[in-house]
């Protein structure tokens, strides 16, 4: 099993551009989530999903959209990138919302 | 509403010493989890302790849970340079939150 995969590994955007961060898992996990990690801030939850067709907001959802059309995929869309969205983004999945989370390797995003 | 805050923020020890990190949380929990993050990598799950357990071991790791104090501790015994990493706790509630972590440096 590949586990949780994320693409791209690194991306540079200009302010105002849009992009999609991809996340996929092959463990048939129902729960998936997106976090951003900034220096000294720990991980902050952006959006999460408890199953296909169901998504909800975390603590820092503004500027991001998600959808969950399949169990395997949970893409994160930046609608209009801002420098404040420069961060490392991690996707995670688990059997349930309170169980062990499995993390992807992360996407480093730089917004100029 | 952080659920899971680690203490201390940073810890530096000599190889072979024990390292202890603490975690506090706010509301009732089903379980508490500890994760490790090596620099530039994703988090890796270390251990999960259920609310009805008081202590759990995994190799050189020992986790305790005190639900009356809403706190947990992670002990790494006989530390190695390879244990250098950031350690996070998470006490999942309606959502899954992590704290800011403890940065552990083990000096060879």
């Amino acid at each position: 099993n590949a586990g949780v995969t994320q693409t791209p590994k690194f991306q540079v955007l200009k302010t105002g551009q849009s992009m999609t961060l991809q996340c996929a898992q092959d463990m048939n996990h129902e729960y998936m989530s997106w976090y951003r990690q900034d220096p000294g801030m720990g991980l902050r939850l952006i959006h999460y999903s408890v199953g296909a067709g169901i998504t909800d907001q975390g603590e820092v959802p503004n500027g991001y959209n998600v959808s969950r059309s399949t169990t395997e995929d949970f893409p994160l869309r930046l609608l209009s990138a801002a420098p404040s969205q420069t961060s490392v983004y991690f996707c995670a999945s688990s059997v349930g919302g309170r169980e062990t989370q499995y993390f992807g390797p992360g996407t480093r995003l730089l917004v100029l | 509403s952080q659920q899971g805050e680690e203490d201390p923020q940073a810890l530096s020890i000599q190889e072979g010493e024990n390292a202890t990190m603490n975690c506090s949380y706010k509301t009732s929990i089903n379980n508490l989890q500890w994760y490790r993050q090596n620099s530039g990598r994703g988090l890796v799950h270390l251990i999960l302790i259920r609310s009805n357990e008081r202590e759990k071991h995994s190799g050189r790791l020992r986790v305790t849970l005190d639900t009356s104090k809403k706190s947990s501790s992670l002990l790494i015994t006989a530390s190695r340079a390879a244990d250098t990493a950031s350690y996070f706790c998470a006490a999942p509630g309606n959502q899954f939150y992590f704290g800011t972590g403890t940065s552990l440096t083990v000096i060879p």
Side-chain angles (χ1 to χ4, degrees), chain A residues 3-77:
Chain A
V4 180
T5 58
Q6 292 183 237
T7 56
K9 290 185 179 180
F10 182 70
Q11 183 72 46
V12 179
L13 289 179
K14 294 181 180 179
T15 297
Q17 288 184 317
S18 63
M19 79 161 294
T20 299
L21 280 63
Q22 301 291 345
C23 174
Q25 52 92 10
D26 61 0
M27 296 173 282
N28 201 33
H29 286 167
E30 290 294 330
Y31 187 92
M32 296 185 74
S33 54
W34 277 102
Y35 296 88
R36 60 177 288 174
Q37 185 175 33
D38 303 298
M41 296 290 291
L43 279 82
R44 291 185 289 172
L45 181 65
I46 304 172
H47 285 284
Y48 65 99
S49 169
V50 299
I54 306 170
T55 64
D56 206 346
Q57 296 180 352
E59 55 182 325
V60 288
N62 292 341
Y64 306 96
N65 272 2
V66 291
S67 60
R68 184 94 179 271
S69 57
T70 67
T71 298
E72 293 78 19
D73 301 298
F74 190 42
L76 178 72
R77 298 182 186 83

Side-chain angles (χ1 to χ4, degrees), chain B residues 11-96:
Chain B
L11 182 60
S12 183
I13 60 174
Q14 296 289 331
E15 199 166 35
E17 294 181 337
N18 295 342
T20 299
M21 289 158 264
N22 303 298
C23 171
S24 60
Y25 59 93
K26 296 179 180 177
T27 64
S28 61
I29 58 171
N30 173 268
N31 67 73
L32 186 136
Q33 303 174 29
W34 285 91
Y35 291 77
R36 182 185 71 215
Q37 183 181 34
N38 291 94
S39 180
R41 311 293 290 272
L43 274 70
V44 174
H45 178 256
L46 293 176
I47 195 164
L48 181 154
I49 185 166
R50 301 270 176 205
S51 60
N52 60 354
E53 299 176 302
R54 291 297 169 259
E55 187 172 312
K56 197 165 185 178
H57 296 255
S58 177
R60 293 184 296 111
L61 306 180
R62 173 179 170 253
V63 170
T64 61
L65 179 64
D66 186 336
T67 53
S68 67
K69 295 181 179 179
K70 292 186 169 56
S71 67
S72 173
S73 67
L74 171 67
L75 169 67
I76 304 174
T77 60
S79 63
R80 305 166 181 169
D83 294 328
T84 294
S86 292
Y87 292 82
F88 296 86
C89 71
N94 291 331
Q95 296 185 9
F96 206 110

